Short mmCIF file of all heavy atoms in Angstrom, two decimals:
data_model
loop_
_atom_site.label_atom_id
_atom_site.label_comp_id
_atom_site.label_asym_id
_atom_site.label_seq_id
_atom_site.Cartn_x
_atom_site.Cartn_y
_atom_site.Cartn_z
N ILE H 1 95.63 104.13 100.00
CA ILE H 1 95.25 103.13 100.94
C ILE H 1 96.51 102.38 101.39
O ILE H 1 97.37 102.09 100.57
CB ILE H 1 94.26 102.11 100.36
CG1 ILE H 1 93.01 102.86 99.80
CG2 ILE H 1 93.85 101.09 101.39
CD1 ILE H 1 92.15 103.49 100.85
N GLY H 2 96.60 102.09 102.67
CA GLY H 2 97.71 101.37 103.17
C GLY H 2 97.29 100.15 104.00
O GLY H 2 96.22 100.14 104.61
N TRP H 3 98.15 99.14 103.95
CA TRP H 3 98.03 97.99 104.86
C TRP H 3 99.11 98.11 105.91
O TRP H 3 100.29 98.32 105.61
CB TRP H 3 98.16 96.69 104.08
CG TRP H 3 96.95 96.26 103.34
CD1 TRP H 3 96.71 96.42 102.01
CD2 TRP H 3 95.79 95.60 103.88
NE1 TRP H 3 95.48 95.88 101.68
CE2 TRP H 3 94.90 95.40 102.81
CE3 TRP H 3 95.44 95.19 105.16
CZ2 TRP H 3 93.66 94.78 102.97
CZ3 TRP H 3 94.20 94.56 105.33
CH2 TRP H 3 93.32 94.37 104.25
N PHE H 4 98.70 97.89 107.17
CA PHE H 4 99.59 97.95 108.30
C PHE H 4 99.38 96.71 109.15
O PHE H 4 98.35 96.04 109.02
CB PHE H 4 99.36 99.22 109.11
CG PHE H 4 99.49 100.47 108.33
CD1 PHE H 4 98.46 100.95 107.54
CD2 PHE H 4 100.67 101.19 108.36
CE1 PHE H 4 98.59 102.10 106.80
CE2 PHE H 4 100.84 102.37 107.61
CZ PHE H 4 99.78 102.82 106.82
N ARG H 5 100.34 96.42 110.01
CA ARG H 5 100.19 95.27 110.89
C ARG H 5 100.80 95.58 112.24
O ARG H 5 101.71 96.38 112.38
CB ARG H 5 100.82 94.02 110.29
CG ARG H 5 102.34 94.07 110.14
CD ARG H 5 102.83 92.82 109.38
NE ARG H 5 104.28 92.80 109.25
CZ ARG H 5 104.95 91.90 108.55
NH1 ARG H 5 104.28 90.94 107.90
NH2 ARG H 5 106.27 91.94 108.49
N GLN H 6 100.28 94.89 113.23
CA GLN H 6 100.75 95.06 114.60
C GLN H 6 100.75 93.73 115.33
O GLN H 6 99.70 93.08 115.45
CB GLN H 6 99.90 96.07 115.37
CG GLN H 6 100.46 96.43 116.73
CD GLN H 6 99.78 97.65 117.34
OE1 GLN H 6 98.67 98.01 116.93
NE2 GLN H 6 100.43 98.26 118.30
N ALA H 7 101.92 93.32 115.74
CA ALA H 7 102.09 92.10 116.51
C ALA H 7 102.06 92.46 118.00
O ALA H 7 102.35 93.60 118.38
CB ALA H 7 103.40 91.40 116.16
N PRO H 8 101.75 91.52 118.88
CA PRO H 8 101.73 91.80 120.31
C PRO H 8 103.06 92.35 120.79
O PRO H 8 104.13 91.83 120.49
CB PRO H 8 101.45 90.44 120.95
CG PRO H 8 100.70 89.68 119.89
CD PRO H 8 101.31 90.12 118.59
N GLY H 9 102.98 93.48 121.52
CA GLY H 9 104.16 94.09 122.06
C GLY H 9 104.97 94.90 121.05
O GLY H 9 106.05 95.41 121.41
N LYS H 10 104.49 95.00 119.83
CA LYS H 10 105.21 95.71 118.79
C LYS H 10 104.41 96.94 118.34
O LYS H 10 103.20 97.00 118.50
CB LYS H 10 105.45 94.81 117.57
CG LYS H 10 106.22 93.54 117.87
CD LYS H 10 107.68 93.83 118.12
CE LYS H 10 108.47 92.54 118.26
NZ LYS H 10 109.92 92.78 118.46
N GLU H 11 105.13 97.90 117.78
CA GLU H 11 104.47 99.05 117.20
C GLU H 11 103.84 98.70 115.86
O GLU H 11 104.31 97.78 115.17
CB GLU H 11 105.45 100.21 117.02
CG GLU H 11 105.94 100.84 118.30
CD GLU H 11 106.76 102.07 118.05
OE1 GLU H 11 107.05 102.39 116.88
OE2 GLU H 11 107.09 102.77 119.04
N ARG H 12 102.79 99.39 115.53
CA ARG H 12 102.17 99.19 114.23
C ARG H 12 103.10 99.66 113.13
O ARG H 12 103.69 100.74 113.21
CB ARG H 12 100.84 99.95 114.17
CG ARG H 12 99.96 99.56 112.99
CD ARG H 12 98.56 100.16 113.15
NE ARG H 12 97.91 99.71 114.35
CZ ARG H 12 96.65 100.02 114.67
NH1 ARG H 12 95.92 100.81 113.87
NH2 ARG H 12 96.13 99.57 115.80
N GLU H 13 103.25 98.84 112.09
CA GLU H 13 104.20 99.14 111.05
C GLU H 13 103.53 99.09 109.68
O GLU H 13 102.56 98.36 109.46
CB GLU H 13 105.38 98.17 111.05
CG GLU H 13 105.00 96.73 110.78
CD GLU H 13 106.18 95.79 110.73
OE1 GLU H 13 107.34 96.29 110.77
OE2 GLU H 13 105.98 94.56 110.67
N GLY H 14 104.07 99.88 108.77
CA GLY H 14 103.56 99.87 107.40
C GLY H 14 103.99 98.63 106.66
O GLY H 14 105.15 98.21 106.76
N VAL H 15 103.08 98.03 105.93
CA VAL H 15 103.35 96.85 105.11
C VAL H 15 103.39 97.19 103.65
O VAL H 15 104.35 96.88 102.96
CB VAL H 15 102.29 95.75 105.39
CG1 VAL H 15 102.54 94.56 104.49
CG2 VAL H 15 102.33 95.33 106.85
N SER H 16 102.33 97.83 103.18
CA SER H 16 102.24 98.15 101.76
C SER H 16 101.23 99.26 101.55
O SER H 16 100.20 99.32 102.24
CB SER H 16 101.80 96.90 100.99
OG SER H 16 101.68 97.15 99.59
N CYS H 17 101.50 100.17 100.62
CA CYS H 17 100.61 101.26 100.29
C CYS H 17 100.42 101.35 98.80
O CYS H 17 101.28 100.94 98.01
CB CYS H 17 101.14 102.59 100.85
SG CYS H 17 101.10 102.74 102.64
N ILE H 18 99.29 101.91 98.40
CA ILE H 18 98.95 102.02 97.01
C ILE H 18 98.32 103.40 96.73
O ILE H 18 97.52 103.88 97.52
CB ILE H 18 98.02 100.87 96.57
CG1 ILE H 18 97.84 100.87 95.05
CG2 ILE H 18 96.68 100.93 97.30
CD1 ILE H 18 97.19 99.57 94.57
N SER H 19 98.68 104.02 95.62
CA SER H 19 98.15 105.34 95.29
C SER H 19 96.70 105.25 94.86
O SER H 19 96.15 104.17 94.68
CB SER H 19 99.01 105.98 94.20
OG SER H 19 98.98 105.20 93.02
N ASN H 20 96.11 106.41 94.63
CA ASN H 20 94.66 106.48 94.36
C ASN H 20 94.24 105.64 93.14
O ASN H 20 93.17 105.05 93.16
CB ASN H 20 94.22 107.93 94.18
CG ASN H 20 94.74 108.54 92.89
OD1 ASN H 20 95.90 108.37 92.53
ND2 ASN H 20 93.88 109.27 92.21
N ASN H 21 95.09 105.63 92.13
CA ASN H 21 94.72 104.92 90.90
C ASN H 21 95.49 103.61 90.75
O ASN H 21 95.38 102.95 89.70
CB ASN H 21 94.98 105.79 89.68
CG ASN H 21 96.43 106.20 89.51
OD1 ASN H 21 97.29 105.80 90.29
ND2 ASN H 21 96.70 106.99 88.48
N GLY H 22 96.22 103.23 91.77
CA GLY H 22 96.96 101.97 91.73
C GLY H 22 98.28 102.04 91.01
O GLY H 22 98.98 101.03 90.90
N GLY H 23 98.67 103.22 90.52
CA GLY H 23 99.88 103.33 89.74
C GLY H 23 101.17 103.25 90.54
O GLY H 23 102.22 102.91 90.00
N ILE H 24 101.12 103.59 91.83
CA ILE H 24 102.27 103.53 92.68
C ILE H 24 102.00 102.55 93.81
O ILE H 24 100.98 102.67 94.49
CB ILE H 24 102.61 104.93 93.28
CG1 ILE H 24 102.82 105.95 92.14
CG2 ILE H 24 103.86 104.85 94.14
CD1 ILE H 24 102.96 107.36 92.64
N ARG H 25 102.92 101.63 93.98
CA ARG H 25 102.79 100.63 95.02
C ARG H 25 104.11 100.54 95.81
O ARG H 25 105.18 100.50 95.21
CB ARG H 25 102.44 99.27 94.44
CG ARG H 25 101.18 99.28 93.57
CD ARG H 25 100.97 97.96 92.87
NE ARG H 25 99.84 98.03 91.96
CZ ARG H 25 99.39 97.02 91.24
NH1 ARG H 25 99.96 95.83 91.36
NH2 ARG H 25 98.37 97.20 90.44
N THR H 26 104.00 100.55 97.11
CA THR H 26 105.19 100.46 97.94
C THR H 26 105.09 99.24 98.84
O THR H 26 103.99 98.80 99.20
CB THR H 26 105.37 101.75 98.78
OG1 THR H 26 104.40 101.75 99.85
CG2 THR H 26 105.17 103.00 97.94
N TYR H 27 106.25 98.74 99.24
CA TYR H 27 106.31 97.56 100.09
C TYR H 27 107.42 97.70 101.12
O TYR H 27 108.52 98.20 100.80
CB TYR H 27 106.54 96.30 99.28
CG TYR H 27 105.48 95.99 98.26
CD1 TYR H 27 105.60 96.42 96.95
CD2 TYR H 27 104.33 95.29 98.63
CE1 TYR H 27 104.62 96.16 96.01
CE2 TYR H 27 103.35 95.01 97.70
CZ TYR H 27 103.48 95.45 96.39
OH TYR H 27 102.51 95.19 95.47
N ALA H 28 107.17 97.24 102.30
CA ALA H 28 108.24 97.14 103.28
C ALA H 28 109.22 96.08 102.83
O ALA H 28 108.85 95.12 102.18
CB ALA H 28 107.66 96.76 104.65
N ASP H 29 110.49 96.28 103.19
CA ASP H 29 111.53 95.33 102.77
C ASP H 29 111.21 93.91 103.23
O ASP H 29 111.54 92.94 102.54
CB ASP H 29 112.88 95.76 103.31
CG ASP H 29 113.43 97.00 102.61
OD1 ASP H 29 112.96 97.31 101.50
OD2 ASP H 29 114.33 97.63 103.19
N SER H 30 110.57 93.78 104.36
CA SER H 30 110.31 92.48 104.94
C SER H 30 109.30 91.67 104.13
O SER H 30 109.23 90.43 104.30
CB SER H 30 109.83 92.61 106.39
OG SER H 30 108.65 93.38 106.47
N VAL H 31 108.49 92.33 103.30
CA VAL H 31 107.45 91.61 102.55
C VAL H 31 107.66 91.69 101.05
O VAL H 31 106.91 91.04 100.29
CB VAL H 31 106.05 92.11 102.89
CG1 VAL H 31 105.81 92.08 104.40
CG2 VAL H 31 105.81 93.53 102.35
N LYS H 32 108.63 92.46 100.61
CA LYS H 32 108.86 92.67 99.19
C LYS H 32 109.12 91.32 98.49
O LYS H 32 109.93 90.52 98.98
CB LYS H 32 110.02 93.64 98.97
CG LYS H 32 110.16 94.14 97.54
CD LYS H 32 111.21 95.26 97.48
CE LYS H 32 110.82 96.44 98.34
NZ LYS H 32 111.80 97.55 98.25
N GLY H 33 108.44 91.11 97.39
CA GLY H 33 108.58 89.86 96.67
C GLY H 33 107.64 88.78 97.11
O GLY H 33 107.47 87.76 96.41
N ARG H 34 106.98 88.97 98.24
CA ARG H 34 106.03 87.96 98.76
C ARG H 34 104.60 88.49 98.78
O ARG H 34 103.65 87.73 98.60
CB ARG H 34 106.41 87.55 100.19
CG ARG H 34 107.80 86.93 100.28
CD ARG H 34 108.04 86.35 101.68
NE ARG H 34 108.04 87.39 102.71
CZ ARG H 34 107.19 87.43 103.74
NH1 ARG H 34 106.26 86.50 103.88
NH2 ARG H 34 107.26 88.40 104.64
N PHE H 35 104.43 89.78 99.02
CA PHE H 35 103.10 90.40 99.11
C PHE H 35 102.84 91.24 97.88
O PHE H 35 103.77 91.86 97.32
CB PHE H 35 102.97 91.26 100.35
CG PHE H 35 102.98 90.53 101.66
CD1 PHE H 35 103.26 89.19 101.74
CD2 PHE H 35 102.67 91.22 102.84
CE1 PHE H 35 103.28 88.51 102.95
CE2 PHE H 35 102.67 90.56 104.05
CZ PHE H 35 102.97 89.20 104.11
N THR H 36 101.58 91.34 97.47
CA THR H 36 101.19 92.17 96.36
C THR H 36 99.92 92.94 96.73
O THR H 36 98.92 92.33 97.15
CB THR H 36 100.90 91.34 95.09
OG1 THR H 36 102.07 90.60 94.74
CG2 THR H 36 100.54 92.26 93.94
N ILE H 37 99.96 94.25 96.57
CA ILE H 37 98.80 95.07 96.86
C ILE H 37 98.13 95.46 95.55
O ILE H 37 98.81 95.69 94.53
CB ILE H 37 99.19 96.34 97.66
CG1 ILE H 37 97.95 97.07 98.20
CG2 ILE H 37 100.06 97.28 96.85
CD1 ILE H 37 98.27 98.17 99.18
N SER H 38 96.81 95.54 95.55
CA SER H 38 96.06 95.96 94.38
C SER H 38 94.77 96.63 94.84
O SER H 38 94.38 96.51 95.99
CB SER H 38 95.75 94.77 93.46
OG SER H 38 94.97 93.81 94.12
N ARG H 39 94.11 97.34 93.93
CA ARG H 39 92.86 97.98 94.29
C ARG H 39 91.90 97.96 93.15
O ARG H 39 92.29 98.04 91.96
CB ARG H 39 93.08 99.39 94.82
CG ARG H 39 93.56 100.41 93.80
CD ARG H 39 93.94 101.74 94.49
NE ARG H 39 92.80 102.39 95.13
CZ ARG H 39 92.88 103.43 95.94
NH1 ARG H 39 94.08 103.93 96.27
NH2 ARG H 39 91.77 103.97 96.46
N ASP H 40 90.63 97.90 93.47
CA ASP H 40 89.53 97.93 92.52
C ASP H 40 88.64 99.10 92.92
O ASP H 40 87.76 98.91 93.75
CB ASP H 40 88.79 96.61 92.50
CG ASP H 40 87.64 96.59 91.50
OD1 ASP H 40 87.41 97.61 90.81
OD2 ASP H 40 86.96 95.54 91.40
N ASN H 41 88.90 100.27 92.37
CA ASN H 41 88.16 101.45 92.78
C ASN H 41 86.68 101.37 92.44
O ASN H 41 85.85 101.97 93.12
CB ASN H 41 88.75 102.70 92.15
CG ASN H 41 90.04 103.14 92.85
OD1 ASN H 41 90.50 102.47 93.79
ND2 ASN H 41 90.62 104.25 92.40
N ALA H 42 86.33 100.64 91.39
CA ALA H 42 84.93 100.47 91.02
C ALA H 42 84.15 99.82 92.14
O ALA H 42 82.94 100.08 92.31
CB ALA H 42 84.79 99.69 89.76
#
């Protein structure tokens, strides 16, 4: 699952992604340290 964002006049960009079981989490440099992704598969 990924979170993306798009501002007016801008291309859609990746913000954060998470693997199927939550074990791998990625963040764009612009949000690293400020945003946290998590998932509750149940």
